Amino acid sequence: MLVAILKEAREDEARVALTPDGVKVLTGQDVKVAVESNAGLESGASDADYTAAGARIAERDELLATADVIPVVNVLPAAEQKKMKRGSVMIGFLRPLDDPSALIGAIEAGVTLFSMELVPRITRAQSMDALSSMATVAGYKAVIVAADHLPKLFPLLMTAAGTIPPAKVLVLGAGVAGLQAIATARRLGAVVEAYDVRAAAGEQVKSLGAKFIEVDLGGLQTEDKGGYAKELSPEALELGRQAIARAAKQADVVITTAQVPGRRAPLMISAATVEEMKPGAIIFDLAAPAGGNCEVTRPGQTTVYHGVTIFAPVNIVAEMPVHASMLYSRNISNFLQLIVKKGELVIDHKDEIIAGSCVAHGGEIVNERVSAALKARA
Ligand code: NAD
């Protein structure tokens, strides 16, 4: 059985799907691993590191045609999907609900597809939870970039020349990224407030030393059975926006992270609210890949609106490739343990994690939400 690691095709991607540590786990199980030259260079892993871990270096086209498993960060380009072997496996952030048509080449080629986004969030799958890994990196990095660009200090400082008040940070969405942003901003000395539509997030926010903004949504059910936020009615969204507007006017930095799986990100900050924010303030919109939480966000661009700078990167984690790759590789490696038995590819489609994350098998889409997403776009 051959596992192949390719250099990511996307220009803004510096991560690699499997690091030399992940290779060692596989080679220790009699799995052959081959790597395209320089695949890990930007994540701090040289070809020599891979060969020391037991992999060989090979040409991309050979790997596409012969590999049994190709772990990826981003889905392979359509033309390359067609070159993959029937019955082989591609696993990674395949964006099956956002862009299912980008998978058609692999589906038609009979490739079995596993989406890291669809790994169920059950206890047994925690070590494979790549969304949480990446959200942790993103939440940290957003605060660091905002602190770097803010024309103010973060901590309270009492000096002989006077007292500097602490920066005020507002975090919208207190999931994995939001909680990491809160923790990072607190460590830098900022005063932090946060809002989330899930009441359960309140305790976690407070345990990190931040204030939770309470909004009375009249007992509305805001959480699905998977623990994710539901899409809100326009009225409930508006109540949140009003509370946020009051806090945003006082804030030096607003970090937004609110997302609803498979939907456009909720709009939480209106243009009018941005107009009332302090000049020099910063909005860091981590929901930009899903359209953004702020009305004036331009995904992929940094813009200035009424003196407020809005950062909206679409692949912020790629700016921290070493640790993002380390975490992702561990998640991938743990997933591979489910489908590699005694050096052979063995897929048990009854396993809850495999069934939940499998998008396509034997030329057919096997996930109802993905089929529906594809039909909706046809
Ligand atoms: P996410 O990235 O989908 O969303 C980020 C946050 O935005 C969430 O907390 C969500 O409630 C919030 N949000 C969505 N719409 C909003 C709105 N209109 N207004 C305000 N906030 C809004 O979520 P995530 O960070 O991936 O995690 C979501 C949940 O899953 C959390 O409860 C988290 O603790 C839980 N989780 C569980 C596991 C596990 O059990 N293995 C792993 C990771 C996360």
Side-chain angles (χ1 to χ4, degrees), residues 148-348:
D148 185 25
H149 284 82
L150 190 71
K152 289 183 171 185
L153 301 180
F154 257 40
L156 166 83
L157 287 185
M158 291 163 118
T159 80
T163 299
I164 294 176
K168 288 189 178 155
V169 174
L170 171 65
V171 176
L172 302 180
V176 182
L179 291 173
Q180 185 58 43
I182 294 169
T184 306
R186 291 282 302 136
R187 266 183 234 128
L188 289 176
V191 169
V192 184
E193 280 188 287
Y195 171 65
D196 196 294
V197 75
R198 293 177 302 109
E203 285 310 310
Q204 292 165 320
V205 166
K206 288 181 211 157
S207 74
L208 291 170
K211 184 182 159 205
F212 188 63
I213 299 173
E214 310 271 355
V215 178
D216 183 1
L217 296 177
L220 188 77
Q221 178 62 18
T222 55
E223 203 170 313
D224 69 14
K225 57 180 177 351
Y228 282 111
K230 284 184 171 176
E231 196 171 28
L232 297 187
S233 65
E235 295 75 26
L237 263 177
E238 185 51 33
L239 285 172
R241 269 198 294 267
Q242 286 167 11
I244 291 160
R246 286 191 288 277
K249 280 177 218 164
Q250 311 293 322
D252 297 299
V253 171
V254 183
I255 311 271
T256 75
T257 76
Q259 302 209 40
V260 177
R263 298 262 185 276
R264 192 211 179 280
L267 272 179
M268 302 173 78
I269 305 179
S270 66
T273 297
V274 182
E275 286 164 21
E276 290 190 75
M277 285 175 65
K278 296 184 202 171
I282 288 174
I283 296 175
F284 202 110
D285 196 339
L286 279 176
N293 291 140
C294 173
E295 194 178 348
V296 294
T297 289
R298 297 284 165 269
Q301 293 177 32
T302 299
T303 49
V304 178
Y305 182 79
H306 281 254
V308 176
T309 305
I310 300 115
F311 289 88
V314 287
N315 196 7
I316 181 83
V317 278
E319 292 175 34
M320 304 288 271
V322 172
H323 282 142
S325 299
M326 188 198 96
L327 296 175
Y328 186 65
S329 171
R330 294 230 176 112
N331 297 139
I332 289 278
S333 185
N334 290 329
F335 188 96
L336 290 179
Q337 296 308 304
L338 287 180
I339 59 169
V340 177
K341 304 280 176 226
K342 295 187 184 146
E344 298 296 324
L345 187 61
V346 180
I347 303 176
D348 172 9

